[in-house]
Amino acid sequence: MIARIGGTRRPSVPRASRRAVRLAALATAVALGAVGLAVAATPSSAAACNGYVGLTFDDGPTGSTGALLSVLRNNNVRATMFNVGQNVQGNPSAARAQVDAGMWVANHSWNHAHMTSMGQSQMQSDLSQTNAAIQSATGVRPQLFRPPYGETNATLQSVASSLGLRQVIWDVDSQDWNGASVSQIVSNAGRLQAGQVILMHDGIQNTRDAIPQIMANLSSRNLCPGMISPSTGRAVAPDGTPPTTGTPTTPPGTPTTPPPTGGCTATATYPNVWGDRYNTSVTVQGAANWTVVVAVTAPQRITTTWNGTPSWDSSGYVMTMRSNGSGNTFGFTTMMNGNSGARPQIRSCTTG
């Protein structure tokens, strides 16, 4: 049997053979499509990371931990899970599933109490009990601790440190705990910069729904999910190495010392950090009669000072603190006003 196509003559293929040819062509197309998808996915998965951010989820494990882990895996995300000890004790398999999914597990207290109202021995017991529960369930000893509500003080930090725990607050609050919509959570996460950490929560549907968009935004800026370094509290590569490019950040809690100016130096530390404010303690060396100039980043504002005499420039963001006979250490409280990542800059220390 002969068929005519386009003015030329070729043998007609029997019906069964034509079916086989169509099936073979379809299989080839599917195979090529799969190859095309694999090739298309390669640049995304192998994209250069100009910096790392810490995605963190508090208050787990919950009844929704499995759903959260599924979303994280589907979006190639490794995150840090700040777990509540009693939740781990009540659901050890969910805590183990976090580790099996490639997540890092950390300490978020035993029952999410206001720990700054505790005595030192009670703090010690709370964190130790939580560490033990997490290690028993997962085989991993926590290295990070996030105080409930972001409330901390020098005693709590000291206790955490004695247990080998690095305190980690956050730079960006997703506001998912406050009923934020998916778009609001995505928008808040869009403020993340290299090295910074965002607060999110296990058990919230809007948070799970926001993750694909959060990842798309990070990818567009060459930022990748990373681990939180136990030594600095900042986000680094998943293997613990810092990024080779990107803008370095100064972690909260790290002393900042300017070059000597006029015969004295001033060093800042941050002994108390809460969800909406923090304290700065500045120690002056090299002079008994000193003047220190400090600047805060808008919209942060200094609200309270002690052990010095302050004055302000016209902007209200630059404070000049002079010694008043109360010693060589002064302090002040700064309201974050939505900017939780910035810390004061000491511009100068001069004698007299």
Side-chain angles (χ1 to χ4, degrees), residues 191-245:
R191 303 200 308 269
L192 277 170
Q193 301 298 320
Q196 292 188 337
V197 173
I198 184 172
L199 169 69
M200 293 181 284
H201 292 81
D202 193 339
I204 298 179
Q205 180 69 52
N206 282 354
T207 303
R208 296 195 296 273
D209 292 344
I211 289 170
Q213 296 178 61
I214 291 173
M215 287 305 300
N217 176 274
L218 292 175
S219 179
S220 72
R221 296 189 288 140
N222 291 328
L223 294 175
C224 301
M227 66 175 282
I228 299 175
S229 167
S231 59
T232 67
R234 310 306 286 164
V236 296
D239 62 1
T241 60
T244 56
T245 59

Short mmCIF file of all heavy atoms in Angstrom, two decimals, residues 191-245:
data_model
loop_
_atom_site.label_atom_id
_atom_site.label_comp_id
_atom_site.label_asym_id
_atom_site.label_seq_id
_atom_site.Cartn_x
_atom_site.Cartn_y
_atom_site.Cartn_z
N ARG A 191 13.55 41.50 54.04
CA ARG A 191 14.54 42.41 54.63
C ARG A 191 15.82 41.69 55.03
O ARG A 191 16.80 42.34 55.41
CB ARG A 191 13.95 43.09 55.87
CG ARG A 191 12.68 43.87 55.63
CD ARG A 191 12.43 44.90 56.74
NE ARG A 191 12.49 44.30 58.07
CZ ARG A 191 11.43 43.81 58.72
NH1 ARG A 191 10.25 43.81 58.13
NH2 ARG A 191 11.57 43.32 59.94
N LEU A 192 15.82 40.37 54.97
CA LEU A 192 17.01 39.61 55.39
C LEU A 192 18.23 39.98 54.58
O LEU A 192 18.17 40.09 53.35
CB LEU A 192 16.75 38.11 55.24
CG LEU A 192 16.01 37.39 56.37
CD1 LEU A 192 15.63 35.99 55.92
CD2 LEU A 192 16.85 37.35 57.64
N GLN A 193 19.34 40.16 55.27
CA GLN A 193 20.63 40.40 54.64
C GLN A 193 21.60 39.28 55.05
O GLN A 193 21.33 38.53 55.98
CB GLN A 193 21.19 41.76 55.05
CG GLN A 193 20.30 42.94 54.70
CD GLN A 193 20.07 43.08 53.21
OE1 GLN A 193 21.00 42.89 52.41
NE2 GLN A 193 18.85 43.43 52.81
N ALA A 194 22.71 39.19 54.34
CA ALA A 194 23.68 38.13 54.60
C ALA A 194 24.08 38.11 56.06
O ALA A 194 24.37 39.14 56.66
CB ALA A 194 24.91 38.31 53.72
N GLY A 195 24.06 36.91 56.64
CA GLY A 195 24.45 36.73 58.02
C GLY A 195 23.32 36.83 59.01
O GLY A 195 23.46 36.44 60.16
N GLN A 196 22.16 37.33 58.56
CA GLN A 196 21.07 37.60 59.49
C GLN A 196 20.17 36.38 59.71
O GLN A 196 20.21 35.40 58.96
CB GLN A 196 20.25 38.79 59.02
CG GLN A 196 21.00 40.11 59.09
CD GLN A 196 20.11 41.31 58.79
OE1 GLN A 196 19.07 41.20 58.13
NE2 GLN A 196 20.49 42.46 59.30
N VAL A 197 19.34 36.50 60.74
CA VAL A 197 18.48 35.41 61.20
C VAL A 197 17.04 35.91 61.27
O VAL A 197 16.79 37.03 61.73
CB VAL A 197 18.94 34.93 62.60
CG1 VAL A 197 17.97 33.91 63.16
CG2 VAL A 197 20.36 34.37 62.53
N ILE A 198 16.10 35.08 60.81
CA ILE A 198 14.68 35.44 60.87
C ILE A 198 13.94 34.52 61.83
O ILE A 198 14.21 33.33 61.92
CB ILE A 198 14.03 35.37 59.46
CG1 ILE A 198 12.56 35.86 59.53
CG2 ILE A 198 14.12 33.99 58.86
CD1 ILE A 198 11.90 36.01 58.18
N LEU A 199 12.99 35.10 62.56
CA LEU A 199 12.14 34.37 63.49
C LEU A 199 10.86 33.94 62.78
O LEU A 199 10.12 34.77 62.26
CB LEU A 199 11.79 35.27 64.68
CG LEU A 199 10.69 34.77 65.62
CD1 LEU A 199 11.17 33.56 66.41
CD2 LEU A 199 10.22 35.88 66.55
N MET A 200 10.64 32.62 62.76
CA MET A 200 9.36 32.06 62.30
C MET A 200 8.95 30.97 63.29
O MET A 200 9.68 30.69 64.24
CB MET A 200 9.49 31.51 60.88
CG MET A 200 9.75 32.60 59.84
SD MET A 200 9.88 31.98 58.13
CE MET A 200 11.54 31.27 58.18
N HIS A 201 7.79 30.38 63.08
CA HIS A 201 7.26 29.42 64.05
C HIS A 201 6.74 28.16 63.38
O HIS A 201 6.14 28.22 62.30
CB HIS A 201 6.17 30.06 64.90
CG HIS A 201 6.67 31.12 65.82
ND1 HIS A 201 6.92 32.42 65.39
CD2 HIS A 201 7.01 31.08 67.14
CE1 HIS A 201 7.38 33.13 66.42
NE2 HIS A 201 7.43 32.34 67.49
N ASP A 202 6.95 27.05 64.06
CA ASP A 202 6.35 25.77 63.67
C ASP A 202 4.85 25.84 63.95
O ASP A 202 4.42 26.49 64.90
CB ASP A 202 7.02 24.65 64.48
CG ASP A 202 6.71 23.26 63.95
OD1 ASP A 202 5.71 23.10 63.23
OD2 ASP A 202 7.47 22.33 64.27
N GLY A 203 4.05 25.18 63.12
CA GLY A 203 2.63 25.05 63.40
C GLY A 203 1.76 26.13 62.81
O GLY A 203 0.56 26.18 63.13
N ILE A 204 2.30 27.02 61.96
CA ILE A 204 1.51 28.11 61.39
C ILE A 204 1.39 27.91 59.89
O ILE A 204 2.39 27.89 59.17
CB ILE A 204 2.14 29.48 61.72
CG1 ILE A 204 2.16 29.69 63.25
CG2 ILE A 204 1.38 30.61 61.03
CD1 ILE A 204 2.78 30.98 63.69
N GLN A 205 0.15 27.79 59.40
CA GLN A 205 -0.09 27.51 57.99
C GLN A 205 0.45 28.62 57.09
O GLN A 205 1.06 28.34 56.05
CB GLN A 205 -1.60 27.34 57.74
CG GLN A 205 -1.96 27.05 56.28
CD GLN A 205 -1.52 25.68 55.83
OE1 GLN A 205 -1.81 24.68 56.48
NE2 GLN A 205 -0.81 25.60 54.72
N ASN A 206 0.23 29.88 57.45
CA ASN A 206 0.71 30.97 56.61
C ASN A 206 2.22 30.94 56.45
O ASN A 206 2.75 31.31 55.39
CB ASN A 206 0.28 32.33 57.20
CG ASN A 206 -1.17 32.65 56.91
OD1 ASN A 206 -1.85 31.91 56.17
ND2 ASN A 206 -1.68 33.73 57.48
N THR A 207 2.92 30.51 57.48
CA THR A 207 4.37 30.42 57.40
C THR A 207 4.77 29.36 56.38
O THR A 207 5.65 29.58 55.55
CB THR A 207 4.96 30.09 58.78
OG1 THR A 207 4.54 31.08 59.71
CG2 THR A 207 6.48 30.06 58.73
N ARG A 208 4.13 28.21 56.45
CA ARG A 208 4.44 27.15 55.48
C ARG A 208 4.14 27.62 54.05
O ARG A 208 4.92 27.37 53.13
CB ARG A 208 3.65 25.89 55.79
CG ARG A 208 4.00 25.27 57.13
CD ARG A 208 3.47 23.84 57.25
NE ARG A 208 2.02 23.76 57.23
CZ ARG A 208 1.24 23.87 58.30
NH1 ARG A 208 1.78 24.10 59.49
NH2 ARG A 208 -0.08 23.75 58.19
N ASP A 209 3.02 28.32 53.89
CA ASP A 209 2.65 28.79 52.54
C ASP A 209 3.61 29.85 52.01
O ASP A 209 3.73 30.03 50.80
CB ASP A 209 1.23 29.36 52.57
CG ASP A 209 0.17 28.28 52.81
OD1 ASP A 209 0.49 27.09 52.65
OD2 ASP A 209 -0.96 28.64 53.18
N ALA A 210 4.28 30.56 52.93
CA ALA A 210 5.18 31.64 52.51
C ALA A 210 6.55 31.13 52.08
O ALA A 210 7.28 31.84 51.37
CB ALA A 210 5.35 32.64 53.65
N ILE A 211 6.92 29.93 52.47
CA ILE A 211 8.29 29.46 52.25
C ILE A 211 8.71 29.47 50.78
O ILE A 211 9.82 29.93 50.45
CB ILE A 211 8.48 28.08 52.90
CG1 ILE A 211 8.49 28.23 54.42
CG2 ILE A 211 9.79 27.42 52.44
CD1 ILE A 211 8.42 26.93 55.18
N PRO A 212 7.89 28.97 49.83
CA PRO A 212 8.34 29.02 48.43
C PRO A 212 8.66 30.43 47.95
O PRO A 212 9.64 30.66 47.23
CB PRO A 212 7.16 28.42 47.66
CG PRO A 212 6.47 27.53 48.66
CD PRO A 212 6.60 28.26 49.97
N GLN A 213 7.84 31.42 48.35
CA GLN A 213 8.09 32.80 47.93
C GLN A 213 9.32 33.38 48.64
O GLN A 213 10.07 34.16 48.04
CB GLN A 213 6.86 33.66 48.21
CG GLN A 213 5.62 33.25 47.43
CD GLN A 213 4.43 34.11 47.78
OE1 GLN A 213 4.44 35.34 47.60
NE2 GLN A 213 3.38 33.48 48.31
N ILE A 214 9.49 33.02 49.90
CA ILE A 214 10.70 33.46 50.62
C ILE A 214 11.94 32.96 49.90
O ILE A 214 12.90 33.70 49.69
CB ILE A 214 10.67 32.97 52.08
CG1 ILE A 214 9.58 33.70 52.87
CG2 ILE A 214 12.03 33.17 52.74
CD1 ILE A 214 9.37 33.15 54.27
N MET A 215 11.92 31.70 49.51
CA MET A 215 13.08 31.12 48.83
C MET A 215 13.31 31.75 47.46
O MET A 215 14.45 31.96 47.06
CB MET A 215 12.89 29.61 48.70
CG MET A 215 13.06 28.86 50.01
SD MET A 215 14.67 29.21 50.79
CE MET A 215 15.77 28.64 49.49
N ALA A 216 12.23 32.07 46.75
CA ALA A 216 12.39 32.72 45.45
C ALA A 216 13.05 34.08 45.60
O ALA A 216 13.92 34.46 44.81
CB ALA A 216 11.02 32.84 44.77
N ASN A 217 12.65 34.82 46.64
CA ASN A 217 13.24 36.13 46.89
C ASN A 217 14.71 36.01 47.25
O ASN A 217 15.56 36.75 46.75
CB ASN A 217 12.47 36.85 47.98
CG ASN A 217 13.09 38.18 48.37
OD1 ASN A 217 13.99 38.23 49.21
ND2 ASN A 217 12.61 39.25 47.75
N LEU A 218 15.03 35.06 48.13
CA LEU A 218 16.43 34.88 48.52
C LEU A 218 17.28 34.49 47.32
O LEU A 218 18.38 35.00 47.13
CB LEU A 218 16.53 33.81 49.60
CG LEU A 218 15.94 34.15 50.97
CD1 LEU A 218 16.01 32.95 51.90
CD2 LEU A 218 16.68 35.33 51.61
N SER A 219 16.75 33.57 46.51
CA SER A 219 17.50 33.12 45.33
C SER A 219 17.76 34.27 44.37
O SER A 219 18.84 34.36 43.78
CB SER A 219 16.72 32.00 44.63
OG SER A 219 17.39 31.55 43.47
N SER A 220 16.80 35.16 44.23
CA SER A 220 16.98 36.30 43.32
C SER A 220 18.09 37.23 43.79
O SER A 220 18.64 38.00 43.00
CB SER A 220 15.66 37.08 43.18
OG SER A 220 15.37 37.82 44.37
N ARG A 221 18.42 37.15 45.08
CA ARG A 221 19.49 37.99 45.64
C ARG A 221 20.75 37.18 45.96
O ARG A 221 21.64 37.67 46.65
CB ARG A 221 18.97 38.69 46.90
CG ARG A 221 17.82 39.65 46.63
CD ARG A 221 17.48 40.47 47.86
NE ARG A 221 16.83 39.71 48.91
CZ ARG A 221 17.07 39.85 50.20
NH1 ARG A 221 17.99 40.70 50.62
NH2 ARG A 221 16.41 39.14 51.10
N ASN A 222 20.80 35.95 45.43
CA ASN A 222 21.96 35.07 45.65
C ASN A 222 22.24 34.84 47.12
O ASN A 222 23.39 34.73 47.55
CB ASN A 222 23.20 35.61 44.95
CG ASN A 222 23.10 35.54 43.44
OD1 ASN A 222 22.47 34.64 42.90
ND2 ASN A 222 23.67 36.52 42.76
N LEU A 223 21.17 34.75 47.91
CA LEU A 223 21.29 34.39 49.32
C LEU A 223 20.76 32.97 49.50
O LEU A 223 19.79 32.58 48.87
CB LEU A 223 20.49 35.35 50.20
CG LEU A 223 20.98 36.80 50.24
CD1 LEU A 223 20.02 37.66 51.05
CD2 LEU A 223 22.39 36.88 50.84
N CYS A 224 21.42 32.21 50.36
CA CYS A 224 21.06 30.81 50.56
C CYS A 224 20.83 30.52 52.04
O CYS A 224 21.45 31.15 52.90
CB CYS A 224 22.19 29.91 50.05
SG CYS A 224 22.58 30.12 48.30
N PRO A 225 19.97 29.55 52.33
CA PRO A 225 19.79 29.16 53.73
C PRO A 225 21.07 28.54 54.27
O PRO A 225 21.72 27.75 53.58
CB PRO A 225 18.66 28.12 53.67
CG PRO A 225 18.04 28.28 52.34
CD PRO A 225 19.10 28.78 51.43
N GLY A 226 21.43 28.90 55.48
CA GLY A 226 22.65 28.37 56.08
C GLY A 226 22.42 27.99 57.52
O GLY A 226 21.31 28.10 58.05
N MET A 227 23.49 27.52 58.15
CA MET A 227 23.44 27.19 59.56
C MET A 227 23.81 28.42 60.38
O MET A 227 24.37 29.38 59.87
CB MET A 227 24.39 26.04 59.88
CG MET A 227 25.86 26.38 59.70
SD MET A 227 26.97 25.04 60.21
CE MET A 227 26.92 25.23 62.00
N ILE A 228 23.47 28.38 61.65
CA ILE A 228 23.84 29.47 62.55
C ILE A 228 25.10 29.05 63.30
O ILE A 228 25.12 28.01 63.97
CB ILE A 228 22.70 29.79 63.53
CG1 ILE A 228 21.46 30.24 62.73
CG2 ILE A 228 23.12 30.88 64.51
CD1 ILE A 228 20.24 30.46 63.58
N SER A 229 26.14 29.83 63.16
CA SER A 229 27.42 29.49 63.76
C SER A 229 27.34 29.52 65.28
O SER A 229 26.92 30.52 65.86
CB SER A 229 28.50 30.46 63.28
OG SER A 229 29.67 30.33 64.07
N PRO A 230 27.77 28.45 65.96
CA PRO A 230 27.78 28.45 67.42
C PRO A 230 28.80 29.43 68.01
O PRO A 230 28.71 29.78 69.18
CB PRO A 230 28.16 27.01 67.78
CG PRO A 230 27.91 26.21 66.56
CD PRO A 230 28.15 27.14 65.41
N SER A 231 29.74 29.88 67.20
CA SER A 231 30.76 30.80 67.71
C SER A 231 30.37 32.25 67.54
O SER A 231 30.76 33.10 68.35
CB SER A 231 32.11 30.53 67.02
OG SER A 231 32.00 30.70 65.62
N THR A 232 29.59 32.57 66.50
CA THR A 232 29.23 33.97 66.25
C THR A 232 27.74 34.25 66.36
O THR A 232 27.33 35.39 66.50
CB THR A 232 29.69 34.42 64.85
OG1 THR A 232 28.93 33.70 63.86
CG2 THR A 232 31.17 34.17 64.66
N GLY A 233 26.90 33.22 66.25
CA GLY A 233 25.46 33.44 66.24
C GLY A 233 24.95 33.97 64.93
O GLY A 233 23.78 34.37 64.84
N ARG A 234 25.77 33.96 63.89
CA ARG A 234 25.35 34.48 62.58
C ARG A 234 25.26 33.34 61.58
O ARG A 234 25.82 32.26 61.78
CB ARG A 234 26.34 35.54 62.06
CG ARG A 234 26.65 36.62 63.07
CD ARG A 234 25.38 37.28 63.62
NE ARG A 234 24.75 38.17 62.66
CZ ARG A 234 23.50 38.60 62.78
NH1 ARG A 234 22.75 38.19 63.78
NH2 ARG A 234 23.00 39.43 61.90
N ALA A 235 24.55 33.57 60.49
CA ALA A 235 24.35 32.54 59.47
C ALA A 235 25.59 32.40 58.60
O ALA A 235 26.15 33.38 58.13
CB ALA A 235 23.15 32.90 58.60
N VAL A 236 26.01 31.15 58.44
CA VAL A 236 27.16 30.83 57.60
C VAL A 236 26.77 29.66 56.70
O VAL A 236 25.65 29.16 56.75
CB VAL A 236 28.39 30.46 58.45
CG1 VAL A 236 28.85 31.66 59.28
CG2 VAL A 236 28.10 29.27 59.36
N ALA A 237 27.71 29.21 55.86
CA ALA A 237 27.44 28.09 54.97
C ALA A 237 27.06 26.86 55.78
O ALA A 237 27.47 26.70 56.93
CB ALA A 237 28.67 27.81 54.11
N PRO A 238 26.29 25.94 55.19
CA PRO A 238 25.85 24.76 55.94
C PRO A 238 26.98 23.91 56.51
O PRO A 238 26.77 23.19 57.48
CB PRO A 238 25.04 23.97 54.90
CG PRO A 238 24.52 25.02 53.98
CD PRO A 238 25.61 26.04 53.88
N ASP A 239 28.17 23.99 55.92
CA ASP A 239 29.29 23.23 56.47
C ASP A 239 30.05 24.02 57.52
O ASP A 239 31.08 23.57 58.04
CB ASP A 239 30.25 22.79 55.36
CG ASP A 239 30.89 23.96 54.63
OD1 ASP A 239 30.61 25.12 54.99
OD2 ASP A 239 31.67 23.71 53.69
N GLY A 240 29.56 25.22 57.84
CA GLY A 240 30.15 26.01 58.91
C GLY A 240 31.16 27.04 58.47
O GLY A 240 31.65 27.82 59.28
N THR A 241 31.47 27.10 57.16
CA THR A 241 32.43 28.09 56.69
C THR A 241 31.71 29.39 56.37
O THR A 241 30.57 29.38 55.91
CB THR A 241 33.17 27.61 55.43
OG1 THR A 241 32.20 27.37 54.39
CG2 THR A 241 33.93 26.33 55.71
N PRO A 242 32.35 30.54 56.57
CA PRO A 242 31.71 31.81 56.24
C PRO A 242 31.65 32.00 54.75
O PRO A 242 32.40 31.36 54.00
CB PRO A 242 32.65 32.85 56.89
CG PRO A 242 33.98 32.17 56.94
CD PRO A 242 33.68 30.70 57.15
N PRO A 243 30.76 32.85 54.24
CA PRO A 243 30.68 33.11 52.80
C PRO A 243 31.94 33.78 52.31
O PRO A 243 32.60 34.52 53.03
CB PRO A 243 29.47 34.04 52.66
CG PRO A 243 29.34 34.68 54.01
CD PRO A 243 29.80 33.65 54.99
N THR A 244 32.30 33.50 51.04
CA THR A 244 33.49 34.10 50.47
C THR A 244 33.23 35.50 49.94
O THR A 244 34.15 36.27 49.73
CB THR A 244 34.02 33.24 49.32
OG1 THR A 244 32.98 33.04 48.35
CG2 THR A 244 34.44 31.86 49.83
N THR A 245 31.94 35.81 49.70
CA THR A 245 31.58 37.14 49.23
C THR A 245 30.41 37.63 50.03
O THR A 245 29.87 36.92 50.87
CB THR A 245 31.22 37.14 47.73
OG1 THR A 245 30.11 36.24 47.56
CG2 THR A 245 32.37 36.68 46.88
#
